[in-house]
Amino acid sequence: MERRSGGCHCGAVTFEVTGPVREVIYCHCGQCRKQSGHVVAATAGGDDQLSVSGAENLTWYSASETARRGFCKTCGSHLFWKAHGSDATSIMAGSIDTPTGLHSGYHIHVDDKGDYYEIADGLPQFAQR
């Protein structure tokens, strides 16, 4: 069975995800850029696949009417994104320990991307998603 571990920068929040995960999706929306400082790269797994240690150090911010973001309240590391009512959680790809075994999928919200970079990796691009 596939098993990946990861966590925040300071180690206060760690997690393990078991089983298959989604390919990495790159989000260029304004919210993701403001929250992370650039593009968000995230995979996802079912909530029943994800176990979190140090959850008392995890803070959830309701970023919109449709989703919330989870981050370490000690070091501020951006760890999770979760749509309200979903049974899956997006996991920031950079928070997963290497080797990750992850694969790139596609870009979303490219019409909202920052004006200071180009997307030139050949992956599919979607205006929305």
Side-chain angles (χ1 to χ4, degrees), residues 6-55:
C8 66
H9 182 260
C10 73
V13 180
T14 59
F15 61 84
E16 184 172 89
V17 60
T18 57
V21 295
R22 181 192 71 205
E23 71 274 5
V24 174
I25 296 173
Y26 301 91
C27 184
H28 300 266
C29 79
Q31 281 189 6
C32 282
R33 286 187 294 106
K34 291 282 186 175
Q35 181 73 31
S36 71
H38 189 47
V39 176
V40 162
T43 185
D47 290 344
D48 59 345
Q49 296 173 256
L50 180 63
S51 63
V52 177
S53 296

Side-chain angles (χ1 to χ4, degrees), residues 4-8 11-18 46-60 68 70-72 79-80 82 89-91:
R4 292 171 177 86
S5 60
C8 66
V13 180
T14 59
F15 61 84
E16 184 172 89
V17 60
T18 57
D47 290 344
D48 59 345
Q49 296 173 256
L50 180 63
S51 63
V52 177
S53 296
E56 65 277 8
N57 298 303
L58 185 62
T59 295
W60 288 93
R68 61 189 186 142
F71 59 95
C72 174
L79 298 169
F80 306 114
K82 184 160 183 63
T89 299
S90 290
I91 304 163

